[in-house]
């Protein structure tokens, strides 16, 4: 599909807030094709009044939606999943076009949204509460989970479809309405995705459940975060954003679900299957051009195998095809914009200044006929001291820093020494090492992988990280509880008034 076909197949060429082919001036934001550096479209921004209309609408729609039985809400989500299935390839291509991930990953992202819709349909019949024995005769206590309210969903550019779905599909079966503020770098994907969900829900008699507010952080982002009508802000993005959003929501004693930056390491043991390790680490470090929150950014490899393994990895890196993300055979597309390329060059230069050795990569890449934001996947070895301060930061680019270790406990300490705590992995065939790594004195991250690298989570588990990654959990398992309010009801089924703790009040 070419650009025109992709936009047309999703109705974006006729969408009232999308302008193609000319800059309409102020009040619009340009969304760029990162592979070419050219504008894809201009998207109308919401002002304060437009935000107010959507926020007030989300409150009104919630009043009806919360009383729709949860399994009926599940049927709406099932239909949204089917609509996403029907549009999967076009939507996946739009993700590739707008944020530059290769087509297989763009389509895979939409598949993830379909998977979470399926999960949420089942969940709609399993929003279980508990009952517990009362200490009083003929009394009982029950916990019930009720819908929470309009949920604010703030998303990062790099998963412009799936992160919304993790939140929206689950929140919708929980009885919440969704007010989505996407990244300004991925507005077309947001418009196409939200239109699909909103149209399905409306056609089934539930208008206004899925809402979109597009605007600058100053006008829309800060309003949403400060809005007392929105009891939960689920925000995905950088640690810097999470610190600002977390503090602002805490000011009004609202709830947050924070999914922030990662700085993920793999430990490679001498016992590991090194062929498997090579493939797993290459995908995880280089895939999505290093722009996943779970990208492998640090490799901690046993000193006895380090030289040979790094040489093999570098040889694999040199075979990777960089180019048009929509073309078959491409493994690495562009970074999202020129600022990301600057961040990459800065990190490479700093690492070398700090004593690192460039093993491969380190430069802008220039695939034929494309003037976009391409860089070479890069490996940098830390000095013998194992200190490389730049590696403590998350640089959103395909840079892998290599450290060596002698003793597994030292490797685990290196894994844990950064501020972020999202994902981690060990490649080993030693069962004791595995147990140590995933045990209470092991990795401090929310996600731990064994004989895999750090990216590629499935939707069934709770997803999220500790420390500056924010502590939130989304997607599978019991993450749904974040989107509901718990009520503990004590019911007296007898004729007597008896007080708890045996208190007499005659
Ligand atoms: P970003 O922090 O620049 O922006 C993320 C979103 O937050 C955008 O929609 C932005 O407009 C909004 N935002 C920023 N400041 C805000 C404020 N003060 N108030 C309200 N909204 C605000 O991140 P990005 O560059 O789009 O994405 C990359 C980052 O996201 C990386 O750090 C990556 O690790 C992280 N990420 C984390 C996860 C996860 O699940 N942990 C998933 C994807 C991306």
């Amino acid at each position: 599909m070419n650009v025109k076909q992709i936009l047309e197949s999703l109705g974006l060429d006729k969408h009232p807030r999308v302008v193609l082919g000319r800059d309409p001036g102020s009040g619009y934001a340009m969304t760029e094709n990162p592979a070419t550096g050219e504008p894809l479209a201009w998207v109308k921004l919401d002002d304060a009044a437009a935000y107010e209309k959507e926020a007030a609408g989300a409150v009104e729609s919630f009043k009806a939606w919360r009383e729709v039985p949860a399994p009926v809400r599940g049927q709406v989500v099932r239909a949204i999943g089917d609509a996403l299935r029907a549009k999967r390839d076009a939507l996946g291509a739009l993700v590739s076009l707008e944020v530059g991930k290769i087509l297989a990953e763009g389509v895979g992202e939409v598949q993830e949204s379909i998977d979470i819709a399926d999960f949420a349909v089942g969940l709609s019949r399993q929003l279980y509460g508990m009952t517990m024995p009362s200490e009083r005769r003929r009394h009982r206590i029950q916990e019930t989970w009720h819908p929470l309210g309009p949920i604010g969903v703030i998303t990062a550019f790099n998963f412009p479809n799936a992160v919304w779905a993790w939140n929206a599909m689950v929140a919708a079966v929980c009885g919440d309405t969704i007010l989505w503020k996407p990244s300004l770098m991925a507005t077309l994907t947001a418009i196409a995705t939200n239109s699909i969900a909103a149209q399905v829900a409306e056609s089934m008699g539930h208008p206004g459940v899925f809402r979109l507010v597009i605007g600058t952080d100053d006008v829309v982002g800060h309003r949403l975060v400060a809005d007392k009508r929105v009891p939960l802000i689920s925000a995905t993005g950088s640690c810097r954003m999470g610190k600002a959003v977390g503090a602002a929501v805490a000011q009004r004693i609202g709830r947050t679900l924070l999914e922030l930056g990662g700085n993920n390491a793999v430990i490679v043991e001498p016992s590991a299957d090194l062929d498997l390790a090579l493939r797993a680490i290459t995908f995880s470090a280089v895939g999505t051009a290093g722009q996943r929150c779970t990208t492998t950014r640090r490799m901690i490899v046993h000193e006895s195998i380090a030289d040979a393994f790094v040489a093999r990895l570098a040889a694999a890196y040199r075979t990777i095809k960089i180019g048009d993300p929509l073309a078959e055979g491409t493994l690495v597309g562009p970074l999202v914009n020129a600022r990301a390329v600057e961040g990459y060059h800065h990190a490479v230069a700093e690492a070398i200044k700090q004593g690192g050795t460039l093993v491969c990569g380190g430069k802008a890449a220039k695939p034929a006929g494309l003037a976009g934001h391409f860089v070479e996947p890069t490996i940098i070895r830390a000095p013998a001291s194992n200190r490389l301060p730049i590696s403590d930061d998350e640089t959103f680019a395909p840079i892998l820093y290599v450290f060596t270790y002698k003793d597994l406990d030292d490797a685990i300490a290196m894994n844990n020494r950064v501020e972020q705590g999202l994902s981690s992995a060990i490649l080993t065939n030693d069962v004791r090492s595995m147990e140590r790594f995933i045990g209470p004195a092991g990795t401090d991250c929310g996600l731990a992988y064994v004989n895999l690298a750090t990216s590629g989570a499935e939707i069934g588990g709770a997803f999220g990280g500790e420390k500056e990654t924010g502590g939130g959990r989304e997607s599978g398992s019991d993450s749904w509880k974040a989107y509901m309010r718990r009520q503990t009801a004590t019911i007296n089924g007898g004729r007597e008034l008896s007080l708890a703790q045996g208190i007499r009040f005659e």
Side-chain angles (χ1 to χ4, degrees):
M1 277 200 278
N2 61 31
V3 174
K4 192 164 170 278
Q5 288 166 329
I6 295 169
L7 299 181
E8 280 177 9
S9 65
L10 293 161
L12 289 166
D13 55 326
K14 298 202 174 61
H15 196 282
R17 73 188 298 169
V18 177
V19 175
L20 302 176
R22 66 181 173 86
D23 181 354
S26 67
Y28 284 75
M30 190 260 279
T31 178
E32 189 192 56
N33 178 346
T36 62
E38 286 163 5
L40 273 174
W42 287 262
V43 168
K44 189 169 179 10
L45 296 174
D46 287 323
D47 57 14
Y51 171 81
E52 179 53 33
K53 188 163 168 264
E54 286 305 312
V59 173
E60 273 314 297
S61 307
F62 174 66
K63 289 179 187 161
W65 185 238
R66 68 184 168 189
E67 295 214 68
V68 175
V72 178
R73 298 194 294 251
Q75 292 308 311
V76 175
V77 168
R78 177 199 297 276
I80 293 169
D82 286 345
L84 290 172
R85 255 184 201 93
K87 295 278 183 195
R88 187 188 71 162
D89 292 353
L91 212 41
L94 178 64
V95 170
S96 293
L97 192 62
E98 197 171 29
V99 303
K101 61 176 72 175
I102 60 169
L103 187 58
E105 291 189 70
V107 172
E109 173 168 352
V110 182
Q111 183 59 48
E112 199 171 333
S113 297
I114 295 165
D115 293 345
I116 194 74
D118 285 349
F119 177 88
V121 175
L123 185 63
S124 70
R125 291 183 184 269
Q126 298 175 75
L127 302 172
Y128 300 135
M130 292 209 282
T131 61
M132 44 285 281
S134 167
E135 63 193 49
R136 287 170 277 181
R137 192 174 137 82
R138 293 193 176 156
H139 285 53
R140 69 184 177 86
I141 303 173
Q142 71 177 30
E143 279 184 1
T144 307
W145 293 90
H146 288 308
L148 185 61
I151 304 301
V153 177
I154 296 174
T155 53
F157 81 84
N158 66 327
F159 276 89
N161 174 270
V163 169
W164 165 84
W166 295 348
N167 285 280
M169 298 297 91
V170 173
V173 298
C174 290
D176 304 330
T177 51
I178 293 99
L179 202 49
W180 178 15
K181 194 214 83 63
S183 162
L184 286 184
M185 289 180 263
T187 48
L188 293 178
T189 305
I191 292 170
T193 304
N194 197 69
S195 300
I196 290 170
Q199 280 163 17
V200 168
E202 185 158 3
S203 72
M204 294 174 79
H206 307 288
V209 174
F210 300 96
R211 291 169 182 270
L212 187 62
V213 282
I214 299 178
T216 60
D217 292 338
D218 282 353
V219 176
V220 167
H222 296 172
R223 269 198 171 70
L224 174 61
V225 165
D227 195 333
K228 284 190 170 180
R229 295 166 293 186
V230 181
L232 169 70
I233 298 288
S234 174
T236 302
S238 58
C239 298
R240 181 188 50 76
M241 175 279 282
K243 285 176 188 169
V245 168
V249 179
Q251 276 295 318
R252 61 175 174 93
I253 326 260
R255 286 196 211 169
T256 47
L257 195 172
L258 298 176
E259 297 283 358
L260 309 175
N263 191 350
N264 318 295
V266 294
I267 296 173
V268 187
E269 288 239 295
S271 72
D273 175 339
L274 294 179
D275 293 339
L276 182 146
L278 189 76
R279 296 209 321 276
I281 295 169
T282 306
F283 168 72
S284 197
V286 165
T288 331
Q291 299 173 108
R292 288 193 186 207
C293 52
T294 51
T295 291
T296 302
R297 306 201 180 278
R298 298 177 297 137
M299 179 168 83
I300 305 164
V301 55
H302 194 270
E303 59 177 14
S304 64
I305 56 168
D307 291 350
F309 189 67
V310 170
R312 282 188 70 189
L313 201 58
Y317 267 48
R318 289 193 190 99
T319 67
I320 286 167
K321 186 159 175 235
I322 306 169
D324 179 356
L326 287 163
E328 209 169 311
T330 302
L331 288 181
V332 171
L335 295 184
V336 72
N337 57 24
R339 219 180 52 195
V341 177
E342 276 169 33
Y344 164 87
H345 286 307
H346 168 77
V348 171
E350 272 305 301
I352 291 167
K353 215 189 291 173
Q354 292 169 7
T357 307
L358 187 66
V359 178
C360 65
K363 302 191 299 293
K366 307 241 173 284
L370 293 169
H373 312 298
F374 295 90
V375 299
E376 292 178 349
T378 299
I379 300 175
I380 296 174
R381 273 189 84 155
S385 66
N386 266 331
R387 286 305 312 180
L388 197 59
I390 187 71
S391 70
D392 294 344
D393 300 330
E394 178 197 46
T395 299
F396 227 49
I399 304 173
L400 181 69
Y401 302 107
V402 179
F403 304 86
T404 54
Y405 75 96
K406 277 197 185 64
D407 176 72
L408 180 59
D409 282 342
D410 293 339
I412 291 172
M414 269 189 251
N415 177 78
N416 293 351
R417 76 178 173 201
V418 295
E419 302 289 356
Q420 311 85 346
L422 181 54
S423 188
S424 58
I426 188 166
L427 289 123
T428 184
N429 276 328
D430 182 333
V431 75
R432 289 194 198 95
S433 298
M434 175 190 84
E435 290 293 342
R436 181 113 191 103
F437 181 72
I438 62 174
T443 171
D444 62 3
C445 294
L447 307 174
Y449 292 93
V450 178
N451 288 333
L452 291 158
T454 56
S455 72
E458 295 180 25
I459 58 99
F463 179 93
E466 303 300 335
K467 303 192 293 186
E468 288 197 2
T469 301
R473 290 297 184 277
E474 272 175 7
S475 199
S477 186
D478 65 351
S479 308
W480 59 270
K481 291 178 177 171
Y483 303 89
M484 303 199 84
R485 65 182 171 87
R486 183 195 322 232
Q487 179 192 74
T488 306
T490 305
I491 301 140
N492 178 2
R495 293 178 186 279
E496 307 291 313
L497 179 68
S498 61
L499 300 177
Q501 293 87 44
I503 292 172
R504 298 188 70 82
F505 198 74
E506 305 288 341

